[in-house]
């Protein structure tokens, strides 16, 4: 449909926490250094994929959404709601680490910056 409408860029809503969580999930459970890049060219689909909120923490996105009164939808995704969710487990680990090191998210993101480039 994007090609039909001559659209060559797709913006996704992933934020800093999504990128960090995905990296840690890939590292812990897949044994690889896979990352969710803020910007890349999908050769398969011929579109540029961008994540404009890649460097914004989830809490900031939520705070802003509340401030401008955006409707908040409840996720039905089992990766985010299941009691056995590895993503929620990793999110909890990051939250615990952030209690001791306030800027742990920035430290983790800075450590993987070379992997985020094209």
């Amino acid at each position: 449909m994007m090609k039909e409408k001559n659209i060559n860029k797709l913006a996704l809503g992933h934020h800093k926490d999504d990128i960090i969580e995905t990296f840690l999930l890939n590292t812990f459970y897949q044994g690889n250094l896979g990352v969710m890049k803020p910007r890349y060219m999908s050769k398969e689909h011929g579109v540029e994929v961008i994540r404009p909120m890649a460097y914004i923490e989830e809490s900031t996105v939520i705070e802003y959404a509340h401030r401008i009164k955006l409707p908040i939808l409840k996720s039905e995704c089992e990766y985010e709601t299941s009691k056995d969710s590895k993503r929620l487990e990793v999110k909890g680990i990051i939250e615990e680490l952030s209690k001791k090191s306030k800027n742990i998210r920035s430290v983790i993101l800075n450590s993987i910056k070379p992997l985020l480039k094209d």
Side-chain angles (χ1 to χ4, degrees):
M1 184 172 92
M2 289 176 67
K3 284 184 181 180
E4 288 172 16
K5 297 191 181 277
N6 201 26
I7 298 169
N8 62 4
K9 194 171 288 193
L10 175 63
L12 301 175
H14 298 107
H15 46 68
K16 183 178 184 175
D17 293 70
D18 290 325
I19 291 171
I20 293 166
E21 291 162 14
T22 299
F23 169 73
L24 293 176
L25 282 164
N26 286 332
T27 303
F28 295 163
Y29 299 108
Q30 300 297 320
N32 67 59
L33 299 176
V35 294
M36 188 183 288
K37 293 186 176 195
R39 177 185 170 273
Y40 70 95
M41 188 66 185
S42 170
K43 291 180 177 79
E44 179 183 351
H45 299 290
V47 298
E48 183 180 12
V49 177
I50 61 171
R51 294 183 170 95
M53 296 187 293
Y55 299 103
I56 303 171
E57 289 184 16
E58 180 180 35
S59 61
T60 303
V61 173
I62 291 169
E63 180 184 304
Y64 184 72
H66 285 299
R67 189 172 342 131
I68 65 169
K69 297 180 173 54
L70 283 177
I72 308 296
L73 304 175
K74 180 79 172 136
S75 175
E76 299 294 329
C77 176
E78 67 181 55
Y79 296 114
E80 295 179 12
T81 59
S82 167
K83 65 178 174 69
D84 300 321
S85 167
K86 295 298 184 200
R87 181 167 292 277
L88 287 179
E89 181 181 327
V90 167
K91 188 182 275 290
I93 291 168
I94 295 167
E95 191 58 38
E96 283 301 310
L97 289 171
S98 72
K99 290 176 183 175
K100 294 179 182 179
S101 178
K102 190 172 81 169
N103 56 340
I104 193 72
R105 288 170 178 85
S106 293
V107 170
I108 295 169
L109 193 67
N110 283 336
S111 73
I112 65 172
K113 270 197 177 157
L115 302 173
L116 299 177
K117 297 182 181 185
D118 291 339

